[in-house]
Amino acid sequence: MTLGRMQRQQIQELCTSYVPTFSATPGLTERAYHSIDTGNAHPIRVQPYWVSPQAKTAIEREIQDTLQMGVIRPSESAWASPVVLVPKPDGEIRFCMDYRKLNAVTRPDNYPMPRTDELLEKLGRAQFISTLDLTKGYWQVPLDESAKERSAFITHLGLYEFNVLPFGLRNAPATFQRLVDGLLAGLGEYAVAYLDDVAIFSDSWADHLEHLQKVLERIREAGLTVKAKKCQIGLNRVTYLGHQVGQGTISPLQAKVDAIQKWPVPKSKKQVQSFLGLAGYYRRFVPHYSQIAAPLTDLTKKKQPNAVQWTGKCQKAFNKLKATLMSDPVLRAPDFDKPFLVTTDASERGVGAVLMQKGPDQEFHPVVFLSKKLSERESNWSVTEKECYAIVYALEKLRPYVWGRRFHLQTDHAALKWLHTVKETNKKLLRWSLALQDFDFDIQHISGASNKVADALSRESFPESTG
């Protein structure tokens, strides 16, 4: 259903009355500030990374632009973190700070993040929804004076520090969520926010206009701005936190069980073993697992040929096990009051991951299965690069579940235990490591035998599937 001419005119008139609020330039609120508590830690000073002449030009341009915007200022701080330039998909350069050493001595802020399932449930029932994306959200939050000093970064041009909250600092999500929760206080019946993604939802058009006006007024009063081109205004269904929601329905952009649904029929003994490795991990939840899996298990016996003879009984067992993996008692809905466990793995041709959580039975159950086939270029990466990419890929897809929450990440590649201390000598790994700075997790090394699920998901040539 599309809006009528009168409805479109009403939206245009409402937005026109808030023209200054819809701006590509970030505002600056006085409702919150970010502090960095490093306790008794001594100042940490890291020398700048070597950069090419082209990179120096990009750094100089970025510093000039952010100085003019008031985002940064010259510094005399005893603290100093290095700069890393990260290429964006559109070819532009993203200016990043390597705050890993600063983050390591920063005390955590455990302000709770909202439950994604509860936010989606509220939106799903609505007939009209608008979403607002705050312009460069973090940059709209000022730092206190001591935090400015600790945010200092070093370049070939000298030392600078941030006036506003930069990306990559520990506790940044907590600070921003606290801000938007206060911003929408008392409006919870029709407005929610997950960090800088604000959603307004209503059952009638008249209510929606009123609700949208109230939220925009709160945003204006707080001195914040909204990025117009990223907003969705007055729609029946919108994309929010990786889901399509509205008019009584909630559906993920892609099913969280796609990796299982699209599992191809095995053609070799090794492929059968890979599938059984996944299914067998959850056998304790499957009554009569051995009997169900018997036709497939028989294919893996030594006397059997490598090219399997696929029968009707094999197909029946295959379908039965896939259906079981996608339903109770194996697959569970997420409980955002409990910690998550992310397990990742990579093979020569793919990456895989599974989001898990302990159920009432104290056993780990899957919440989301992920898999992605590597491109020809990606397949030529080193083992360590593939394993690191598996983590980056998984956490980006699982962002609505793990962003702003402490969680555990397991990998069977020992080198990644030092992910947080990657040196600048490997630019690809360094960029990925910095992309993960906003996630709060610890890396646990596990043996390959204990990583059967993610391992199996990484070894099949699936189309990309996400939760």
Side-chain angles (χ1 to χ4, degrees):
M1 183 174 70
T2 57
L3 296 180
R5 183 178 62 83
M6 180 62 70
Q7 291 173 319
R8 291 196 300 271
Q9 182 178 340
Q10 290 172 324
I11 285 291
Q12 184 176 8
E13 290 174 354
L14 176 61
C15 292
T16 299
S17 65
Y18 288 92
V19 166
T21 301
F22 289 93
S23 172
T25 301
L28 187 65
T29 187
E30 295 181 355
R31 302 286 181 86
Y33 64 88
H34 183 79
S35 58
I36 303 174
D37 183 359
T38 56
N40 297 322
H42 295 291
I44 296 172
R45 193 175 186 88
V46 182
Q47 292 301 310
Y49 295 147
W50 179 89
V51 294
S52 66
Q54 295 87 345
K56 287 183 178 180
T57 300
I59 289 174
E60 291 164 3
R61 182 173 59 250
E62 187 72 18
I63 288 177
Q64 181 179 4
D65 291 344
T66 49
L67 278 172
Q68 290 178 348
M69 293 172 63
V71 170
I72 65 171
R73 69 185 186 187
S75 176
E76 297 180 357
S77 174
W79 298 75
S81 296
V83 170
V84 177
L85 296 179
V86 179
K88 297 169 68 173
D90 59 7
E92 294 185 6
I93 298 295
R94 182 184 174 193
F95 195 62
C96 295
M97 309 302 138
D98 184 353
Y99 284 131
R100 289 175 298 172
K101 291 189 176 182
L102 172 62
N103 289 339
V105 297
T106 300
R107 292 178 177 174
D109 179 350
N110 295 317
Y111 187 82
M113 300 296 289
R115 291 174 55 115
T116 306
D117 56 342
E118 292 182 353
L119 300 188
L120 293 173
E121 185 179 354
K122 286 185 176 182
L123 268 67
R125 297 190 297 265
Q127 295 300 309
F128 298 97
I129 307 174
S130 294
T131 65
L132 308 175
D133 191 290
L134 298 178
T135 306
K136 292 185 182 294
Y138 283 6
W139 281 11
Q140 304 199 49
V141 179
L143 296 179
D144 66 18
E145 287 303 314
S146 65
K148 291 178 183 179
E149 180 183 19
R150 286 163 174 76
S151 75
F153 61 93
I154 191 167
T155 73
H156 66 284
L157 294 178
L159 192 66
Y160 299 88
E161 61 190 30
F162 277 88
N163 290 313
V164 296
L165 179 58
F167 296 92
L169 280 181
R170 187 176 192 179
N171 300 329
T175 293
F176 206 85
Q177 190 64 46
R178 186 182 286 109
L179 167 65
V180 293
D181 285 350
L183 180 74
L184 301 179
L187 309 184
E189 292 185 359
Y190 55 82
V192 296
Y194 191 89
L195 294 172
D196 58 355
D197 290 325
V198 180
I200 303 96
F201 49 94
S202 316
D203 291 330
S204 72
W205 180 249
D207 284 344
H208 194 61
L209 286 175
E210 180 183 350
H211 296 162
L212 182 57
Q213 188 272 333
K214 286 183 177 179
V215 172
L216 286 172
E217 184 62 27
R218 290 278 185 98
I219 291 174
R220 178 167 67 181
E221 290 174 350
L224 301 170
T225 58
V226 173
K227 195 169 188 177
K229 70 177 183 180
K230 285 193 174 183
C231 295
Q232 304 171 92
I233 304 292
L235 303 181
N236 304 120
R237 288 178 63 78
V238 299
T239 299
Y240 191 69
L241 301 181
H243 290 70
Q244 287 284 339
V245 296
Q247 295 187 304
T249 63
I250 304 172
S251 56
L253 296 182
Q254 294 189 42
K256 63 183 180 182
V257 293
D258 269 1
I260 306 300
Q261 289 175 331
K262 297 178 180 179
W263 199 292
V265 171
K267 296 181 179 180
S268 68
K269 184 186 296 186
K270 187 173 182 179
Q271 290 176 350
V272 175
Q273 291 170 334
S274 180
F275 177 74
L276 288 176
L278 169 66
Y281 184 85
Y282 299 112
R283 65 182 299 161
R284 59 192 175 281
F285 305 127
V286 184
H288 312 297
Y289 172 86
S290 296
Q291 294 93 315
I292 297 173
L296 302 180
T297 305
D298 289 343
L299 295 177
T300 65
K301 293 180 178 179
K302 287 186 177 181
K303 64 180 180 180
Q304 295 296 328
N306 183 57
V308 300
Q309 299 298 312
W310 199 253
T311 66
K313 288 185 177 180
C314 293
Q315 187 65 44
K316 184 177 180 180
F318 185 60
N319 291 341
K320 177 71 172 178
L321 290 176
K322 287 209 299 182
T324 303
L325 290 170
M326 295 184 292
S327 62
D328 289 337
V330 178
L331 196 70
R332 293 293 176 90
D335 183 344
F336 289 89
D337 292 329
K338 296 180 179 179
F340 288 108
L341 170 66
V342 179
T343 303
T344 66
D345 196 32
S347 65
E348 289 185 6
R349 58 182 182 178
V351 295
V354 60
L355 177 69
M356 293 190 287
Q357 197 170 50
K358 278 188 178 180
D361 55 7
Q362 297 304 304
E363 298 282 359
F364 277 105
H365 291 256
V367 176
V368 179
F369 294 107
L370 297 172
S371 69
K372 180 182 183 292
K373 182 181 179 181
L374 294 175
S375 67
E376 183 177 351
R377 175 181 61 84
E378 293 165 345
S379 296
N380 292 324
W381 288 343
S382 69
V383 173
T384 297
E385 289 172 336
K386 290 176 183 174
E387 294 284 356
C388 187
Y389 177 66
I391 294 175
V392 174
Y393 167 78
L395 297 191
E396 283 301 316
K397 296 299 182 184
L398 297 173
R399 182 179 289 265
Y401 298 92
V402 299
W403 180 268
R405 294 181 174 87
R406 181 71 174 175
F407 63 97
H408 303 293
L409 188 144
Q410 291 184 339
T411 173
D412 63 3
H413 191 65
L416 292 187
K417 287 194 297 182
W418 295 277
L419 180 66
H420 291 309
T421 57
V422 172
K423 303 299 183 183
E424 70 272 18
T425 51
N426 189 317
K427 298 298 184 183
K428 190 185 290 101
L429 290 182
L430 179 59
R431 289 196 303 270
W432 287 340
S433 179
L434 298 182
L436 302 179
Q437 284 185 121
D438 282 343
F439 291 96
D440 185 11
F441 64 94
D442 63 272
I443 297 180
Q444 303 171 352
H445 175 247
I446 56 175
S447 66
S450 302
N451 199 24
K452 290 182 179 179
V453 180
D455 175 76
L457 290 167
S458 75
R459 294 183 184 279
E460 295 306 322
S461 301
F462 299 120
E464 180 173 341
S465 58
T466 64

